[in-house]
Amino acid sequence: MRRTELLTRGTAIALAGVFLICAGLLAGAADGKKKHKSKSAKVTVLSNQQQAILDSGAIRVKVRRGKGKKVAVDGLQAGSTVRLTKAKKVKKGKRGKKLNLALTASGRTAMSSCSVDGLRGRFVKGKKKRGKKSKGSPVTPLIRNLAACAGGGQSQAQPCDPLDPSPVCMLPFPNDYYTVADPSTDTGRRLNFQADAMPKNKDGVPIDPADFNHADGFSPGSEIIVHIPEVTTQEAFDKTGFVPITDEHSYADADQPAVVINTDTGERQPIFAELDALPSQFGGGPADVNLIIRPLKNFDEGGHYIVALRNIKDSAGNSVPAPDSFKVYRDKLPSSDPAVEARRSHMEGLFSELQTDGIARNNLYLAWDFTVASENSLAGRALALRNAALSELGDTTPGDGNVQGDAPEFQINSVIDNTTSDPTNPVLKQVDGVLTNVPCYLHPDCLPGSRLQYGSGANADVPDTTPNGFADDPAADGPGGPGVAFRCIIPRSTTAGGTVHPAKAAMYGHGLLGDYSEVGATNPRRLGNQANMVFCATNWAGFSEDDIGTVISSLGDVSNFSKLTDRMLQGFVNFLYLGRALDNADGFRDAPAFQVDADGDGNTDGSALENTDDLYYEGISQGAIMGGALTAVSPDITHSVLDVTGMNYSTLLSRSTDSAQYLEVPNLGLYDNYPNQSERQLIFAIMQLIWDRGEADGYAQHMTGDPLPDTPEHHVLLQAAVGDFQVSNLTAEIEARTIGAHIYEPAVDPGRHWDVDPFVGLDPIAAFPFGDGAGENAAFVYYDGGPVDWFNDAAAGTAPGMECNHGDPTTNPCQGTALNPTTNTPSAPPDFGADPHSYPRISADGLRHDTEWLQPGGFINPCLADSDPRPCYANGWAGPTP
């Protein structure tokens, strides 16, 4: 045997001897009194029901061999312990002595807050140090009743979801907690808002949930709102590492704390997060500040999403524990509340899905899910009214490329003929009239304040499409009688050179709460003349000057908001009939008012309108936002220009300078009528649910290459002014991503965008001309009027592309513009310079793009300077000095 083997064997014998000696010593100790006490005495907690403990004010324990000692019960709290009961001495008696240990005041508080996970009894040896773990006795898991928790925790039987224990009901939002199963809908769910959960105005009147509950899911552009008490400052936001608007690409980071998962695809939704900045502006406190997560591209219609928040930090960088109402699911803690237990399997499904996507449950702060409304829920009403209205004209196959049936009936009220009276005017004729047979689908009539009517049973979500007479509006007063008023401008280009040049037919959408007379403004007159287009306009029913009274009533009670959105749907019908009057051979084309005298002999020489079915659309600001929806619904429009566009008013409202007159006006504004600052984002999100019926946010997925039923594909040009005060650039980019637009590049000069790496998810235009090739049906272009420290002192000129912003004459009207704030607040002078809202339509680049796009096979070319591609400029700005 070798030496190493001998040493090993000897070592083993020595160790065995030591073990035998120790075993003998231990056996001897087992016969002594000291060993008996240390190994056998223990305290077992018998109480395991949270509610029963709170009701009795005591915890019952069983003590074994502990006579003469004091016992108490500790609660386990996130790995540490807290004393729950007073200490009590064990008197002499039989083995298995049972005692009731009274809760201390702090113990009752801990039990009521649902922060205790388990109970452990112990013998008291002097003062127990807080934070140390108890040893030697078994842990009794606590069965919770979340309805008993302090701080607003409620069971699922209650109207508010306990996952977010903030004072604001209906958070987190959107949330399938506020839906019910409904196999009759396309998503299998239906909104189930309860009146006592809805925000209330200053008079205590809740928003009526009835109209919202027609929907089978939430808005595709919904903001996600949650309150995290420890994350109400920018320091806490930054410590946590939420994806900011200034670094949008970080939504895809592996450790991103805010994640939204599309369960149908398993992919992350592009998002950014922000803290609501409004409370700090209006005297609110930390309790009013909510975390907002916004999609950078709309959620898929009918889609199902999970929101997961994890690794949350406070302003000092400390980890923030999850709400107790969520921990009961995350940590698999038992509960005696049947409603809580009924939700457990659903929550386990969410955890399983998140695990599949690489998101562990153990570091989650909160997770919940929501369903997005289906195509039918969003666009079904508009399509039903469209189809019914066109069938009244005899066209039962919209979208087949043929304008069939009759033209709408109309009456001409007045004609202003500038043929010889004002030869410098780019408008040859202005024609005013009314459409007299537009079917009305509102009740009691089609005037402001009227509503759609719905059926019952299986038709409870289907609007009544039986015409209620003919539509009328307040602007239609005149010799033509009742009807839908319109104005058309015939450009002088139709008679250029003494011959007739029939013009293309186009519709024009006016701005915020304006009217059809805006078709006579500088831009449509100039564009009509350059592109040889007859522009006609009618009021945007639902959001025109006629509706201001309903707007005011909605600000006082949001329950009235449906009166606006229902009339917006009637507005679609009005525009569809105006379009048919333009492109039907029996409409405006042969009417005497649309005949032109080219040679000046006093006799008409032909029609101002082409003999073609093609129809075009240009909308400005609100006309672009609502025009995106009209474009998606129209079977006749082929190409649209949406100028200074955006979508999703819930994102846009607080970022627009236009909103102050509706939100902040004393006594009448939304803020005075709904003074609870922590609810205001929720109110915006709730309003968006029905606003989607009348604006681009509800139709963007079908605006271009994925058309709605019986609707052709459309070609759409989106235009944005860098730093726009009224329509945030953010909302334009979200729209561009959603419709699949290609972005013009170079889009902006360096430093002229809020993101460190701009345009996440936007593919660039690869080659010019763009627009007439396969897959080239949507483009997005920025127009820049220069940075805020630039002044166009030398060029208050009038040449196209050289105009300055005509604002307050006491300031330099040619000043440049700063980028929009990175918070949900508006730009404002003087710090942000001049409002560039008009720049795209007055710039030479923008006017040329409009002209090129609004024609058959429309396209755009690059903005050039000395043949080098460059960003598109306006306001006289020519780019930074090399």
Side-chain angles (χ1 to χ4, degrees), residues 398-705:
D400 63 358
N402 298 311
V403 176
Q404 299 172 331
D406 300 325
E409 298 174 5
F410 60 92
Q411 176 71 44
I412 302 300
N413 288 353
S414 67
V415 177
I416 299 176
D417 192 336
N418 300 314
T419 303
T420 58
S421 62
D422 186 7
T424 63
N425 193 326
V427 176
L428 186 72
K429 282 187 178 183
Q430 175 182 298
V431 181
D432 285 11
V434 291
L435 305 171
T436 58
N437 71 333
V438 179
C440 174
Y441 295 106
L442 305 180
H443 295 265
D445 50 41
C446 274
L447 295 178
S450 298
R451 294 290 311 277
L452 291 172
Q453 286 190 343
Y454 292 86
S456 59
N459 295 319
D461 302 321
V462 180
D464 183 1
T465 56
T466 303
N468 180 33
F470 296 126
D472 189 11
D473 61 48
D477 297 337
V484 174
F486 67 83
R487 174 171 293 176
C488 298
I489 56 170
I490 299 173
R492 193 166 292 275
S493 58
T494 57
T495 59
T499 59
V500 177
H501 303 276
K504 300 186 286 292
M507 296 188 295
Y508 182 84
H510 63 72
L512 180 64
L513 293 173
D515 65 24
Y516 67 91
S517 69
E518 293 178 24
V519 73
T522 301
N523 174 64
R525 285 189 296 147
R526 179 188 296 166
L527 177 59
N529 210 36
Q530 177 166 314
N532 197 32
M533 308 190 81
V534 171
F535 276 107
C536 293
T538 187
N539 282 0
W540 268 117
F543 255 71
S544 72
E545 66 176 12
D546 298 337
D547 300 281
I548 291 176
T550 311
V551 169
I552 293 173
S553 69
S554 298
L555 298 174
D557 183 353
V558 175
S559 302
N560 292 315
F561 192 63
S562 294
K563 297 175 182 177
L564 289 170
T565 55
D566 281 2
R567 232 174 82 83
M568 292 167 81
L569 295 177
Q570 180 65 42
F572 291 161
V573 174
N574 298 354
F575 263 96
L576 289 168
Y577 264 51
L578 179 62
R580 283 299 169 103
L582 276 162
D583 63 6
N584 189 298
D586 297 325
F588 293 160
R589 190 173 301 156
D590 292 334
F594 287 82
Q595 306 304 303
V596 294
D597 176 9
D599 55 15
D601 64 357
N603 299 314
T604 56
D605 298 313
S607 175
L609 286 166
E610 286 182 334
N611 184 19
T612 175
D613 292 345
D614 291 334
L615 182 65
Y616 304 92
Y617 176 86
E618 172 150 359
I620 306 298
S621 193
Q622 178 193 285
I625 298 170
M626 295 177 68
L630 175 66
T631 299
V633 170
S634 173
D636 303 327
I637 294 171
T638 59
H639 289 70
S640 288
V641 171
L642 306 182
D643 185 3
V644 282
T645 189
M647 68 179 193
N648 192 336
Y649 277 99
S650 68
T651 299
L652 174 62
L653 278 177
S654 65
R655 286 179 152 87
S656 172
T657 52
D658 292 330
S659 296
Q661 59 189 313
Y662 306 105
L663 301 178
E664 300 174 32
V665 61
N667 300 319
L668 295 178
L670 184 75
Y671 290 169
D672 269 10
N673 284 290
Y674 289 86
N676 187 342
Q677 296 196 49
S678 60
E679 287 185 335
R680 287 176 182 166
Q681 291 299 326
L682 176 63
I683 291 172
F684 293 159
I686 289 173
M687 292 171 70
Q688 191 62 46
L689 291 169
I690 53 177
W691 220 330
D692 280 343
R693 301 173 189 171
E695 69 124 310
D697 192 65
Y699 300 84
Q701 192 167 319
H702 306 289
M703 200 185 296
T704 53

Side-chain angles (χ1 to χ4, degrees), residues 9-88:
R9 185 175 182 184
T11 302
I13 293 172
L15 289 173
V18 170
F19 176 79
L20 290 174
I21 293 170
C22 291
L25 292 173
L26 290 173
D31 296 331
K33 187 175 182 181
K34 187 173 182 181
K35 167 57 178 68
H36 171 75
K37 286 185 175 180
S38 64
K39 296 297 288 183
S40 299
K42 67 178 182 179
V43 182
T44 303
V45 176
L46 302 177
S47 300
N48 67 351
Q49 298 282 338
Q50 178 196 15
Q51 188 60 57
I53 293 172
L54 289 170
D55 289 343
S56 66
I59 298 176
R60 192 163 179 80
V61 299
K62 180 179 180 180
V63 184
R64 182 177 183 181
R65 293 194 176 103
K67 60 183 179 180
K69 292 188 175 184
K70 290 184 177 181
V71 295
V73 175
D74 292 336
L76 274 65
Q77 274 187 332
S80 297
T81 62
V82 60
R83 168 79 72 84
L84 299 177
T85 70
K86 298 177 180 178
K88 191 172 186 178

Side-chain angles (χ1 to χ4, degrees), residues 173-174 219-225 274 276 291-295 299 648-651 680-686 688 824:
F173 188 95
S219 169
S222 183
E223 56 183 307
I224 298 170
I225 313 164
E274 62 184 358
D276 186 5
L291 177 71
I292 305 169
I293 299 170
R294 301 189 191 271
F299 302 113
N648 192 336
Y649 277 99
S650 68
T651 299
R680 287 176 182 166
Q681 291 299 326
L682 176 63
I683 291 172
F684 293 159
I686 289 173
Q688 191 62 46
N824 61 324

